[in-house]
Amino acid sequence: MWQDGNSAYGAGSSQNQYYGQAGVAQPGVPLQFYAPSPVGSTFYPGSRSSLDGNPGVGVQGSIQSQGGAPAGYGGSIQSGGWWTAFGTGGIEGEPPLLEELGINFSHIRAKSMTVLNPLSRVDERIMDDADLAGPLLFIICFGIFLLFSGKPQFGYIYGMGLLGSGSIYILLNVMSENGIDAYRVVSVLGYCLLPMVGVGALSVMVTLDGMVGYMLSTLSVMWCTWSASNIFVAVLRMSEQRLLVAYPVGLLYTCFALLSVFNVGSSLAK
């Protein structure tokens, strides 16, 4: 009864179609350890169909499958200096490590040039690839410049930036039909802080608590407000609400300008 030949459990491995095909290695068919991505892959376009690499200078070792597999299914292991950690080792279709981490210097340069040229036409898709690498760099530089000028304002910069970004995020989603996420709002506000960073650099050499400092701070606030409102209007298509967008943005940059002109911590201590 337990050795019935029609039972699926009593059948031998040679009669089982599934185990029979998986267990027997067909001659001439190499082992495949890598499944190529589809042709229309979104994340890694132009993916390779094998593990072939372009080995550079360094120690190389070959990986081959058993059974006499062709050389096309081999891979390469290479080692080099510390700078190889920031590249792809010559492997086709692999993005650089910095780009995977969200740090793209070409995009940072393009967005910075858009802010520095407020009269240029803003592309409505400029924030399709939003990032925080550039804004974090500008905010850190702004805080360091204020520190060198005798104004350690890191806590105030963080607090006003967080509160201002959240408030503008809520206002933009109330006024616009399409809406915008908080990540892009912080990215736009951070990039448009670049003129204020220049004023912070000047505060290291020149005292801004005077007529010259007031004029430079006012000019930087207008510059930052114009650039940020242009980007928000272009992305959200709110050309008829430009002044309503520029007003809260201008208030936020005015707070940053006050930090660069006055020493808020010492005035509160007194």
Side-chain angles (χ1 to χ4, degrees), residues 180-204:
I180 188 173
D181 57 301
Y183 189 82
R184 285 177 171 80
V185 171
V186 176
S187 180
V188 172
L189 295 176
Y191 272 108
C192 295
L193 189 67
L194 185 56
M196 195 69 63
V197 176
V199 175
L202 291 177
S203 66
V204 179

mmCIF file of all heavy atoms in Angstrom, residues 180-204:
data_model
loop_
_atom_site.group_PDB
_atom_site.id
_atom_site.type_symbol
_atom_site.label_atom_id
_atom_site.label_comp_id
_atom_site.label_asym_id
_atom_site.label_seq_id
_atom_site.Cartn_x
_atom_site.Cartn_y
_atom_site.Cartn_z
ATOM 1 N N ILE A 180 2.839 69.818 -3.409
ATOM 2 C CA ILE A 180 4.275 69.568 -3.427
ATOM 3 C C ILE A 180 4.648 68.891 -2.117
ATOM 4 O O ILE A 180 4.014 69.144 -1.080
ATOM 5 C CB ILE A 180 5.050 70.891 -3.621
ATOM 6 C CG1 ILE A 180 6.541 70.628 -3.836
ATOM 7 C CG2 ILE A 180 4.836 71.829 -2.452
ATOM 8 C CD1 ILE A 180 7.317 71.875 -4.208
ATOM 9 N N ASP A 181 5.631 68.023 -2.166
ATOM 10 C CA ASP A 181 6.040 67.319 -0.962
ATOM 11 C C ASP A 181 7.061 68.138 -0.188
ATOM 12 O O ASP A 181 7.695 69.054 -0.715
ATOM 13 C CB ASP A 181 6.618 65.945 -1.306
ATOM 14 C CG ASP A 181 7.777 66.037 -2.267
ATOM 15 O OD1 ASP A 181 7.585 66.576 -3.385
ATOM 16 O OD2 ASP A 181 8.878 65.608 -1.919
ATOM 17 N N ALA A 182 7.226 67.801 1.078
ATOM 18 C CA ALA A 182 8.116 68.558 1.962
ATOM 19 C C ALA A 182 9.576 68.442 1.544
ATOM 20 O O ALA A 182 10.364 69.365 1.763
ATOM 21 C CB ALA A 182 7.949 68.075 3.404
ATOM 22 N N TYR A 183 9.957 67.327 0.942
ATOM 23 C CA TYR A 183 11.344 67.136 0.517
ATOM 24 C C TYR A 183 11.748 68.173 -0.522
ATOM 25 O O TYR A 183 12.831 68.759 -0.444
ATOM 26 C CB TYR A 183 11.487 65.724 -0.055
ATOM 27 C CG TYR A 183 12.904 65.298 -0.337
ATOM 28 C CD1 TYR A 183 13.711 64.805 0.679
ATOM 29 C CD2 TYR A 183 13.423 65.368 -1.623
ATOM 30 C CE1 TYR A 183 15.005 64.400 0.431
ATOM 31 C CE2 TYR A 183 14.721 64.972 -1.883
ATOM 32 C CZ TYR A 183 15.507 64.478 -0.856
ATOM 33 O OH TYR A 183 16.793 64.085 -1.113
ATOM 34 N N ARG A 184 10.872 68.448 -1.483
ATOM 35 C CA ARG A 184 11.181 69.440 -2.521
ATOM 36 C C ARG A 184 11.122 70.867 -1.961
ATOM 37 O O ARG A 184 11.866 71.730 -2.423
ATOM 38 C CB ARG A 184 10.220 69.276 -3.691
ATOM 39 C CG ARG A 184 10.531 68.065 -4.551
ATOM 40 C CD ARG A 184 9.516 67.880 -5.671
ATOM 41 N NE ARG A 184 9.947 66.851 -6.594
ATOM 42 C CZ ARG A 184 9.829 65.548 -6.392
ATOM 43 N NH1 ARG A 184 9.282 65.125 -5.269
ATOM 44 N NH2 ARG A 184 10.257 64.666 -7.272
ATOM 45 N N VAL A 185 10.258 71.100 -1.015
ATOM 46 C CA VAL A 185 10.196 72.429 -0.404
ATOM 47 C C VAL A 185 11.510 72.746 0.306
ATOM 48 O O VAL A 185 12.089 73.831 0.143
ATOM 49 C CB VAL A 185 9.008 72.511 0.580
ATOM 50 C CG1 VAL A 185 9.057 73.809 1.376
ATOM 51 C CG2 VAL A 185 7.689 72.414 -0.170
ATOM 52 N N VAL A 186 12.022 71.803 1.080
ATOM 53 C CA VAL A 186 13.287 72.010 1.774
ATOM 54 C C VAL A 186 14.431 72.162 0.774
ATOM 55 O O VAL A 186 15.342 72.981 0.969
ATOM 56 C CB VAL A 186 13.550 70.848 2.743
ATOM 57 C CG1 VAL A 186 14.912 70.985 3.413
ATOM 58 C CG2 VAL A 186 12.458 70.783 3.802
ATOM 59 N N SER A 187 14.381 71.400 -0.312
ATOM 60 C CA SER A 187 15.433 71.491 -1.326
ATOM 61 C C SER A 187 15.451 72.866 -1.991
ATOM 62 O O SER A 187 16.519 73.471 -2.159
ATOM 63 C CB SER A 187 15.236 70.394 -2.375
ATOM 64 O OG SER A 187 16.235 70.448 -3.361
ATOM 65 N N VAL A 188 14.287 73.395 -2.348
ATOM 66 C CA VAL A 188 14.220 74.710 -2.993
ATOM 67 C C VAL A 188 14.686 75.803 -2.035
ATOM 68 O O VAL A 188 15.500 76.669 -2.391
ATOM 69 C CB VAL A 188 12.787 74.989 -3.489
ATOM 70 C CG1 VAL A 188 12.657 76.427 -3.994
ATOM 71 C CG2 VAL A 188 12.416 74.026 -4.609
ATOM 72 N N LEU A 189 14.194 75.777 -0.809
ATOM 73 C CA LEU A 189 14.571 76.806 0.159
ATOM 74 C C LEU A 189 16.064 76.744 0.491
ATOM 75 O O LEU A 189 16.707 77.775 0.706
ATOM 76 C CB LEU A 189 13.743 76.660 1.430
ATOM 77 C CG LEU A 189 12.237 76.893 1.296
ATOM 78 C CD1 LEU A 189 11.523 76.616 2.613
ATOM 79 C CD2 LEU A 189 11.950 78.323 0.837
ATOM 80 N N GLY A 190 16.611 75.545 0.527
ATOM 81 C CA GLY A 190 18.034 75.417 0.815
ATOM 82 C C GLY A 190 18.916 75.908 -0.313
ATOM 83 O O GLY A 190 19.934 76.581 -0.078
ATOM 84 N N TYR A 191 18.547 75.603 -1.541
ATOM 85 C CA TYR A 191 19.331 76.079 -2.685
ATOM 86 C C TYR A 191 19.261 77.597 -2.819
ATOM 87 O O TYR A 191 20.258 78.241 -3.158
ATOM 88 C CB TYR A 191 18.851 75.417 -3.974
ATOM 89 C CG TYR A 191 19.529 74.104 -4.275
ATOM 90 C CD1 TYR A 191 18.845 72.904 -4.153
ATOM 91 C CD2 TYR A 191 20.864 74.055 -4.668
ATOM 92 C CE1 TYR A 191 19.456 71.692 -4.421
ATOM 93 C CE2 TYR A 191 21.483 72.850 -4.940
ATOM 94 C CZ TYR A 191 20.774 71.677 -4.819
ATOM 95 O OH TYR A 191 21.401 70.485 -5.070
ATOM 96 N N CYS A 192 18.098 78.153 -2.565
ATOM 97 C CA CYS A 192 17.941 79.596 -2.706
ATOM 98 C C CYS A 192 18.548 80.365 -1.539
ATOM 99 O O CYS A 192 18.536 81.605 -1.550
ATOM 100 C CB CYS A 192 16.454 79.948 -2.829
ATOM 101 S SG CYS A 192 15.692 79.307 -4.341
ATOM 102 N N LEU A 193 19.107 79.673 -0.566
ATOM 103 C CA LEU A 193 19.833 80.339 0.517
ATOM 104 C C LEU A 193 21.245 80.755 0.095
ATOM 105 O O LEU A 193 21.949 81.425 0.858
ATOM 106 C CB LEU A 193 19.906 79.411 1.735
ATOM 107 C CG LEU A 193 20.442 79.963 3.055
ATOM 108 C CD1 LEU A 193 19.490 81.007 3.636
ATOM 109 C CD2 LEU A 193 20.654 78.831 4.064
ATOM 110 N N LEU A 194 21.641 80.399 -1.107
ATOM 111 C CA LEU A 194 23.007 80.654 -1.562
ATOM 112 C C LEU A 194 23.409 82.130 -1.510
ATOM 113 O O LEU A 194 24.526 82.445 -1.056
ATOM 114 C CB LEU A 194 23.192 80.087 -2.971
ATOM 115 C CG LEU A 194 24.589 80.159 -3.577
ATOM 116 C CD1 LEU A 194 25.607 79.486 -2.677
ATOM 117 C CD2 LEU A 194 24.603 79.529 -4.960
ATOM 118 N N PRO A 195 22.582 83.101 -1.944
ATOM 119 C CA PRO A 195 22.988 84.507 -1.778
ATOM 120 C C PRO A 195 23.194 84.915 -0.329
ATOM 121 O O PRO A 195 24.072 85.736 -0.020
ATOM 122 C CB PRO A 195 21.825 85.287 -2.420
ATOM 123 C CG PRO A 195 21.229 84.335 -3.396
ATOM 124 C CD PRO A 195 21.346 82.998 -2.745
ATOM 125 N N MET A 196 22.408 84.354 0.578
ATOM 126 C CA MET A 196 22.593 84.645 1.996
ATOM 127 C C MET A 196 23.907 84.078 2.517
ATOM 128 O O MET A 196 24.518 84.644 3.441
ATOM 129 C CB MET A 196 21.421 84.073 2.798
ATOM 130 C CG MET A 196 21.295 84.607 4.200
ATOM 131 S SD MET A 196 20.791 86.334 4.240
ATOM 132 C CE MET A 196 19.171 86.219 3.471
ATOM 133 N N VAL A 197 24.364 82.967 1.939
ATOM 134 C CA VAL A 197 25.664 82.411 2.314
ATOM 135 C C VAL A 197 26.782 83.382 1.941
ATOM 136 O O VAL A 197 27.760 83.538 2.674
ATOM 137 C CB VAL A 197 25.868 81.041 1.648
ATOM 138 C CG1 VAL A 197 27.256 80.484 1.950
ATOM 139 C CG2 VAL A 197 24.808 80.055 2.108
ATOM 140 N N GLY A 198 26.629 84.063 0.790
ATOM 141 C CA GLY A 198 27.611 85.081 0.414
ATOM 142 C C GLY A 198 27.659 86.234 1.397
ATOM 143 O O GLY A 198 28.739 86.750 1.722
ATOM 144 N N VAL A 199 26.498 86.641 1.898
ATOM 145 C CA VAL A 199 26.467 87.702 2.908
ATOM 146 C C VAL A 199 27.124 87.216 4.198
ATOM 147 O O VAL A 199 27.842 87.967 4.882
ATOM 148 C CB VAL A 199 25.023 88.154 3.164
ATOM 149 C CG1 VAL A 199 24.951 89.164 4.301
ATOM 150 C CG2 VAL A 199 24.432 88.754 1.895
ATOM 151 N N GLY A 200 26.909 85.959 4.551
ATOM 152 C CA GLY A 200 27.566 85.418 5.732
ATOM 153 C C GLY A 200 29.079 85.384 5.583
ATOM 154 O O GLY A 200 29.812 85.603 6.555
ATOM 155 N N ALA A 201 29.562 85.111 4.350
ATOM 156 C CA ALA A 201 31.009 85.153 4.114
ATOM 157 C C ALA A 201 31.554 86.567 4.255
ATOM 158 O O ALA A 201 32.656 86.770 4.771
ATOM 159 C CB ALA A 201 31.317 84.589 2.728
ATOM 160 N N LEU A 202 30.794 87.559 3.816
ATOM 161 C CA LEU A 202 31.235 88.948 3.972
ATOM 162 C C LEU A 202 31.245 89.390 5.432
ATOM 163 O O LEU A 202 32.023 90.267 5.813
ATOM 164 C CB LEU A 202 30.331 89.875 3.157
ATOM 165 C CG LEU A 202 30.443 89.770 1.634
ATOM 166 C CD1 LEU A 202 29.430 90.688 0.973
ATOM 167 C CD2 LEU A 202 31.854 90.118 1.171
ATOM 168 N N SER A 203 30.369 88.782 6.242
ATOM 169 C CA SER A 203 30.330 89.171 7.655
ATOM 170 C C SER A 203 31.594 88.778 8.398
ATOM 171 O O SER A 203 31.849 89.288 9.491
ATOM 172 C CB SER A 203 29.114 88.536 8.330
ATOM 173 O OG SER A 203 29.241 87.117 8.377
ATOM 174 N N VAL A 204 32.377 87.844 7.841
ATOM 175 C CA VAL A 204 33.635 87.474 8.473
ATOM 176 C C VAL A 204 34.644 88.618 8.376
ATOM 177 O O VAL A 204 35.437 88.852 9.298
ATOM 178 C CB VAL A 204 34.194 86.188 7.827
ATOM 179 C CG1 VAL A 204 35.526 85.792 8.454
ATOM 180 C CG2 VAL A 204 33.191 85.049 7.962
#
